[in-house]
Amino acid sequence: RRSGNFMKNNNQRLSSVMNNSYMLPAAPSQQQPQPAPHEDPGWEEQYKTLRDYHLKFGNCKVPARYKANAKLGRWVMTQRRQFTLLMQGFPSALTAERIRRLESLGFTWSVRPEPVSTWNKKFQELKAYKATYGNCMVPQRYQANSQLGTWVHTQRRQYKLMTEGKKSSMTKEKADALDSIGFFWAAKNSVSTSAGRGIPLGENEKLSDSSDHGESDKAA
């Protein structure tokens, strides 16, 4: 896949940079040459400030609009932007030594969580919900965790799109994982089975919409 090849190429390029075997493209002649790390007191100053931030908060996730130090927020964004340029093969002020030093603080080069990691996190939250309430019928407007309620509703909508042959983020693996904890693919009057999702319940088995922890949204 294209995304897989992109990540593979990035990993190979980063490995080359860290091993000092990757030659960066020459910058256009009209550009001023980038100063060496030891000649850039501004970089060192911000690095020390980031180190202090890490000691205080335990991470390097400085908000872009960090009110306490807007300059640090912009600098952190710049490091990520320079890393992206480096991975794309463009001239960059980021060196292997700077990468090592930033990563020694646990610096992350992307502020966006990986989709799979996000999905797994919500799946674990759903499992915890079931352990507490005995079902996966999270209300769409679940006050204790509104994001989980929205996520559950989204899984039903994405599953419906998948069954209709439309573009969807749902996969068989995700559907099987949700099935394994008794997920309901229709919000009302249905049960889930691995053989067929969304089988109507009998009249006496219908779910109550008035339940405190029953599902409030309609089937997607």
Side-chain angles (χ1 to χ4, degrees):
R1 294 180 180 177
R2 182 179 179 182
S3 59
N5 291 333
F6 178 77
M7 291 302 297
K8 182 179 180 181
N9 293 336
N10 271 3
N11 290 335
Q12 291 174 343
R13 186 173 287 116
L14 178 58
S15 178
S16 298
V17 170
M18 301 306 286
N19 292 327
N20 297 318
S21 60
Y22 179 74
M23 298 299 293
L24 290 176
S29 57
Q30 67 268 24
Q31 284 189 336
Q32 294 296 322
Q34 294 290 345
H38 64 277
E39 297 175 351
D40 189 356
W43 195 94
E44 293 295 333
E45 178 185 354
Q46 292 304 315
Y47 177 80
K48 291 177 182 178
T49 304
L50 178 63
R51 188 171 58 193
D52 293 339
Y53 182 97
H54 180 267
L55 289 173
K56 182 176 181 179
F57 297 105
N59 62 66
C60 296
K61 299 176 181 178
V62 185
R65 297 177 181 176
Y66 184 38
K67 291 183 179 180
N69 190 335
K71 187 175 181 180
L72 178 62
R74 291 194 298 271
W75 182 84
V76 165
M77 285 183 61
T78 297
Q79 303 316 299
R80 294 196 175 103
R81 184 164 60 249
Q82 291 297 318
F83 182 80
T84 299
L85 289 173
L86 182 65
M87 291 300 97
Q88 293 175 345
F90 293 110
S92 169
L94 203 60
T95 64
E97 179 60 23
R98 287 179 177 179
I99 291 174
R100 290 190 187 97
R101 293 176 66 186
L102 287 167
E103 290 186 343
S104 73
L105 299 178
F107 192 89
T108 54
W109 300 106
S110 174
V111 293
R112 296 178 182 177
E114 292 293 327
V116 174
S117 299
T118 301
W119 193 94
N120 287 334
K121 180 176 182 294
K122 291 302 178 188
F123 180 68
Q124 294 302 319
E125 290 178 9
L126 179 60
K127 288 173 68 176
Y129 180 96
K130 183 182 180 182
T132 301
Y133 300 112
N135 61 62
C136 298
M137 306 298 287
V138 185
Q140 188 174 352
R141 295 179 178 84
Y142 181 39
Q143 292 185 353
N145 188 342
S146 60
Q147 289 186 352
L148 180 60
T150 300
W151 182 83
V152 165
H153 180 70
T154 299
Q155 302 317 297
R156 295 193 179 103
R157 186 171 66 252
Q158 291 299 317
Y159 178 75
K160 184 174 185 292
L161 290 173
M162 184 180 75
T163 59
E164 294 173 348
K166 299 178 181 178
K167 184 177 180 180
S168 167
S169 62
M170 181 58 64
T171 64
K172 182 180 182 302
E173 290 74 17
K174 290 178 180 179
D176 288 345
L178 289 165
D179 266 338
S180 72
I181 60 172
F183 189 80
F184 284 81
W185 293 101
K188 295 181 180 180
N189 308 337
S190 66
V191 296
S192 171
T193 70
S194 58
R197 300 179 174 96
I199 299 176
L201 288 170
E203 193 64 28
N204 296 327
E205 297 175 288
K206 290 185 178 180
L207 297 168
S208 172
D209 290 338
S210 62
S211 171
D212 289 340
H213 300 289
E215 179 61 73
S216 63
D217 64 298
K218 296 181 179 180

